[in-house]
Amino acid sequence: MFKIIEKKQLSNDVFYMKIEAPDVARNRKAGQFVIVQVDSDFGERIPLTIADADPEKGWVAIVYQTVGATTFKLSQKNVNDSIPTFLGPLGRPSKIERYDAPVVIIGGGIGVAPCHPIVQAHKAIGNKVIFIMGARNKDLLIFEDEMKKAADELIIMTDDGSAGRKGLVTEPLKELCESQCPPAEVISIGPPIMMKFCCKTVEPYKVPITVSLNTIMIDGTGMCGGCRVNIGGETKFVCVDGPEFDGSKVDFDNMMMRMKSYKAKEQEDFHKCKMLAQADALASQNK
């Protein structure tokens, strides 16, 4: 069993947890993920990216959004509760290289969290890191303090202008590509539509871009085939071949179309789980 040692609610449906998992903390690398199972018997196993870790203290941090039954159940657990399965690290680590020019890393929404270890890894080998953080509004921004500490420069973009600059993350990305010192590499993690347009933005400037496709993963082991994607005309599985790929080769339209097939069932299970939890809470109050 893996003990929850810290829990915070970052926004309306986004949670942060520190899990006591010494082996994972010692062995994880930037870009990797874990498999979490909340129920002891026959429960769903879900992949969640690692947001931070401390190998000396033996904890791993995860950030997740309550979009389905399992993430909702996980959000109902509290400090000192335990979860039965916390398996990892899984997936291929990020490729971290030393550059003379800056590395631009872009995180959108909850995708900011898995960017954090990647920013730390690039800084650790001496790269200059410019981090672009995007969200619909200021209430949905996460890891702002962590990124201020980790990156050399933080650019905040919100759709409504309630924090930072008003606009999309592609705007400062374009400006940086056109600057006197364009980025050596761009890394983008977030909603698929955001990653798609980040790739389109850098294309005319021939700047290499890496994207993380963790949002399409299901069981995280390569057995279900649910995370198959088209990369440069070849079929790849995100959980075992990725989760990071050359963004210029990703068929985002196909990926986004396939992701829609899970939404209805995911939302149905989420609402069922929420209603059961509310009924249990009401029953407890009436005892």
Side-chain angles (χ1 to χ4, degrees), residues 32-286:
Q32 292 185 296
F33 64 93
V34 292
I35 289 288
V36 175
Q37 184 176 344
V38 180
D39 300 313
S40 297
D41 299 318
F42 307 110
E44 181 187 34
R45 294 154 52 95
I46 58 168
L48 295 172
T49 46
I50 296 171
D52 202 356
D54 189 323
E56 294 184 3
K57 295 182 180 178
W59 56 259
V60 174
I62 54 173
V63 174
Y64 59 93
Q65 186 173 15
T66 53
V67 293
T70 301
T71 46
F72 177 78
K73 289 176 184 177
L74 186 58
S75 73
Q76 300 303 293
K77 289 190 173 289
N78 294 302
V79 172
N80 294 324
D81 288 342
S82 295
I83 55 179
T85 300
F86 195 83
L87 175 65
L90 297 170
R92 296 177 182 271
S94 301
K95 188 177 180 181
I96 309 296
E97 295 184 39
R98 180 73 176 89
Y99 297 114
D100 293 328
V103 176
V104 174
I105 302 178
I106 306 163
I110 196 171
V112 169
C115 289
H116 186 236
I118 300 172
V119 172
Q120 291 175 316
H122 276 284
K123 283 299 298 174
I125 64 167
N127 285 332
K128 178 182 179 181
V129 178
I130 300 171
F131 188 76
I132 304 173
M133 178 184 297
R136 292 196 304 275
N137 58 60
K138 64 181 178 63
D139 295 328
L140 299 177
L141 292 169
I142 64 170
F143 268 47
E144 188 174 348
D145 291 339
E146 288 86 348
M147 288 306 188
K148 283 179 181 176
K149 181 180 177 181
D152 294 285
E153 183 181 347
L154 173 63
I155 300 170
I156 295 175
M157 303 294 295
T158 50
D159 293 358
D160 63 359
S162 54
R165 290 170 53 181
K166 182 178 181 179
L168 304 176
V169 295
T170 49
E171 294 171 27
L173 175 60
K174 185 174 186 289
E175 293 164 4
L176 290 165
C177 288
E178 292 177 343
S179 69
Q180 291 184 341
C181 188
E185 181 186 10
V186 173
I187 300 162
S188 179
I189 305 179
I193 191 67
M194 182 203 83
M195 294 189 288
K196 174 184 175 178
F197 280 97
C198 285
C199 293
K200 286 186 175 294
T201 299
V202 303
E203 187 177 2
Y205 308 99
K206 309 300 182 186
V207 175
I209 182 165
T210 299
V211 295
S212 180
L213 307 183
N214 54 69
T215 51
I216 199 173
M217 290 193 296
I218 303 177
D219 76 348
T221 64
M223 295 181 68
C224 73
C227 69
R228 65 187 182 276
V229 287
N230 186 327
I231 308 294
E234 295 183 34
T235 298
K236 300 287 185 181
F237 295 94
V238 173
C239 59
V240 291
D241 296 318
E244 295 182 357
F245 297 95
D246 179 344
S248 68
K249 297 180 179 180
V250 177
D251 185 341
F252 282 104
D253 292 337
N254 178 266
M255 174 183 162
M256 289 187 286
M257 180 186 68
R258 291 187 57 254
M259 286 179 68
K260 291 178 183 177
S261 62
Y262 311 131
K263 291 295 180 186
K265 179 62 175 172
E266 189 175 62
Q267 290 173 359
E268 179 186 345
D269 289 347
F270 170 71
H271 290 302
K272 280 182 182 178
C273 223
K274 193 172 183 179
M275 289 174 64
L276 285 170
Q278 290 170 344
D280 288 344
L282 186 61
S284 297
Q285 290 174 3
N286 294 333

